[in-house]
Amino acid sequence: MESVFIVVGILVIFFVVVQKRFLKQDELKDNHYKRKGPLLNAKESAFYNALIAAVGHHGVVMSKVNMANVLAPVSTEKKQWFIANNRIAKSYFDYVVCDPRTMEVRVAIELDNGKELDKGKLERQKLLLHVCKSANIPLIGTNIKHSYQVGRLRRLLAAHIDLIEPDKEVRFCKRCGSPMTIKIAYQGEHKGRRFFTCSRQPHCTYTENYNVVFEDDE
Ligand SMILES: [Zn+2]
């Protein structure tokens, strides 16, 4: 019986000592902070402004959104879930555009900083491509050079966000020269996205991605 009291006594002392030490280390007043400066640098801000002009009130633009706030691992196995979550926890999307009513992420945008492709950048691109494909989030890659034409951004976004009214744009079929009409894909990988189709369907089956103009311009 006596030994039980001794064990309990030792445990109590141990607990008190550990807690004291822990609390001492954790005291917030020992930590000092300074501001890091603007949340976005000059180029990132310029792109942000172009983006909100392109989106208007049809979407909400957020910047530097942590991937773990947008995505969750699918795995039900604890260890795998943890590894998958760790992989995204320190990364963020440069920009996301959300549905203004539900704040659901509709499209992710990666702004290439124009720096040389090194190991870190390559890893990031690999991760981005993988997570967006896996979670079925449209990913738009753009670079600083091409980033400030609002009309072009709007066209690019219109393929992914139904809420944005596309500019009235007349396109002609590259196969037969007939005017083309805009349709929305009802099935397949691009479900919900706009595309152009020849008005002479089913006689002519030519189709074009909505953002093909942007790609041509590159
Ligand atoms: Zn045609």
Side-chain angles (χ1 to χ4, degrees):
M1 200 62 188
E2 219 172 68
S3 62
V4 172
F5 282 120
I6 292 167
V7 170
V8 170
I10 289 169
L11 278 175
V12 168
I13 291 163
F14 178 75
F15 181 73
V16 168
V17 168
V18 165
Q19 201 186 35
K20 253 191 181 162
R21 180 161 289 179
F22 178 74
L23 281 178
K24 206 172 183 184
Q25 278 182 351
D26 201 42
E27 271 180 305
L28 285 173
K29 65 175 183 181
D30 290 341
N31 301 326
H32 303 285
Y33 299 93
K34 61 173 179 146
R35 296 189 200 192
K36 277 178 99 173
L39 197 55
L40 300 178
N41 66 32
K43 284 172 177 172
E44 291 165 345
S45 302
F47 183 78
Y48 175 80
N49 285 321
L51 200 54
I52 52 172
V55 168
H57 57 272
H58 298 291
V60 176
V61 178
M62 302 260 202
S63 189
K64 298 200 173 170
V65 178
N66 191 299
M67 281 185 187
N69 287 339
V70 179
L71 309 162
V74 175
S75 177
T76 50
E77 204 268 304
K78 219 174 177 181
K79 196 181 163 195
Q80 258 194 344
W81 189 96
F82 196 73
I83 292 168
N85 199 57
N86 257 2
R87 199 152 277 157
I88 58 169
K90 281 181 191 160
S91 292
Y92 57 79
F93 292 111
D94 284 350
Y95 305 88
V96 296
V97 181
C98 306
D99 185 320
R101 293 165 301 185
T102 60
M103 291 307 283
E104 195 190 331
V105 171
R106 304 295 292 268
V107 56
I109 300 159
E110 171 76 356
L111 183 63
D112 191 325
N113 55 16
K115 283 181 192 156
E116 224 175 290
L117 195 70
D118 58 8
K119 195 172 168 249
K121 197 166 164 178
L122 194 71
E123 297 255 298
R124 173 171 167 80
Q125 286 183 357
K126 258 166 71 181
L127 180 70
L128 259 177
L129 286 171
H130 174 76
V131 299
C132 286
K133 196 173 173 214
S134 173
N136 198 22
I137 295 174
L139 174 68
I140 296 174
T142 187
N143 57 44
I144 282 159
K145 256 197 310 197
H146 291 291
S147 59
Y148 312 119
Q149 284 118 325
V150 172
R152 188 186 270 180
L153 271 177
R154 194 173 284 151
R155 273 204 300 278
L156 196 59
L157 287 164
H160 304 290
I161 304 173
D162 297 337
L163 299 164
I164 297 172
E165 273 310 305
D167 286 339
K168 281 203 169 145
E169 186 186 344
V170 182
R171 266 191 218 183
F172 295 95
C173 177
K174 288 202 174 101
R175 206 172 283 162
C176 72
S178 306
M180 298 186 83
T181 51
I182 296 172
K183 285 204 175 141
I184 291 169
Y186 286 107
Q187 54 189 6
E189 200 189 329
H190 302 294
K191 191 178 167 186
R193 299 196 201 163
R194 292 164 203 267
F195 66 102
F196 278 91
T197 176
C198 181
S199 59
R200 277 186 62 235
Q201 257 195 343
H203 304 290
C204 177
T205 53
Y206 183 76
T207 60
E208 245 176 35
N209 287 335
Y210 196 87
N211 58 358
V212 79
V213 164
F214 184 86
E215 284 158 6
D216 281 352
D217 285 353
E218 301 267 287

